[in-house]
Amino acid sequence: AAALPPGGGGLPPAWAETAVRTSSDVALPNLTIVSLSTERIRGAMEYGAGEPKPGTGLQPPPALTGWPNGYSLAIDLGRTDPKNALGLMVAGRIAFPPRSGAPTLAVSRDGQLRVGTWGTDFTGTAGLLALKHGTPFVTDGRPADVTPLPDRAIPLALVGSLGSRLFIATGIARPVEVQQTLIRAGVKFAFALSASPARPIRATHPKPETLDLSSSHLFLRPLPAAPRAAVTAYKQ
């Protein structure tokens, strides 16, 4: 997608050119990294039917019932751990309250995607339609200083920033190897969305019939290609 001219050409229906799998010189064949230009996509977050019911009197968002119309890419966000429920807001409803200092993926009311730290990059829910917290994975270009990660391959769903672009990575791999791969690629900020099994990134071409409705999902769509003005030069 980076090779397409800004504001024109659109994105391929299957998003084929946006997916960059790790090359053979990196021992992570099961990791898929998708790099996205936030100016050219819009997102929507849906609540999984298997998500725990929030406490403290909060009302859960509407449950995911199927693939929403107009969106062509789905990212499984996993399910909330009821023992450590991180912040989650969907369709303007707060299911689990945000926490200060938590890394956050947010969707604004016009569908734009943002990542950052709650309380620093985000000072409140005004203007936001959805958000999901995660756990630190890469901080300031170094492995995050968190509880030691398991030394075995586990399902991962990661999100973060890569320069001016947003990236999403899913796969089954050793966390330390994934950290090293992302840091070599120039990633300064990344966090894990969920510890539950992360299914592969899915596209509507072909549309999967096995979408796990129990997990919350992020759905993406490309913006329509901007029309180009015809310019004619006349020599006098």
Side-chain angles (χ1 to χ4, degrees), residues 27-176:
L28 294 175
N30 295 323
L31 184 71
T32 299
I33 303 175
V34 177
S35 173
L36 301 165
S37 173
T38 55
E39 293 82 7
R40 301 182 61 188
I41 58 172
R42 291 295 180 266
M45 202 176 289
E46 300 286 345
Y47 197 70
E51 290 275 25
K53 298 298 183 286
T56 66
L58 295 173
Q59 185 179 7
L64 177 61
T65 57
W67 194 295
N69 292 329
Y71 291 84
S72 53
L73 202 69
I75 294 93
D76 190 333
L77 301 179
R79 293 178 293 280
T80 302
D81 180 0
K83 297 179 181 179
N84 184 30
L86 300 176
L88 178 63
M89 180 173 76
V90 177
R93 294 185 189 174
I94 297 177
F96 300 98
R99 297 183 183 182
S100 178
T104 305
L105 168 66
V107 181
S108 68
R109 292 196 173 276
D110 61 357
Q112 294 192 52
L113 270 63
R114 293 173 55 196
V115 295
T117 301
W118 194 260
T120 302
D121 302 298
F122 302 97
T123 57
T125 59
L128 300 181
L129 188 64
L131 69 88
K132 183 174 176 64
H133 283 347
T135 55
F137 196 75
V138 174
T139 304
D140 295 328
R142 299 188 300 272
D145 184 16
V146 294
T147 304
L149 298 168
D151 188 22
R152 67 180 188 279
I154 62 172
L156 292 169
L158 307 167
V159 67
S161 54
L162 181 56
S164 62
R165 299 171 71 86
L166 178 145
F167 82 89
I168 298 170
T170 63
I172 300 177
R174 291 177 61 233
V176 172

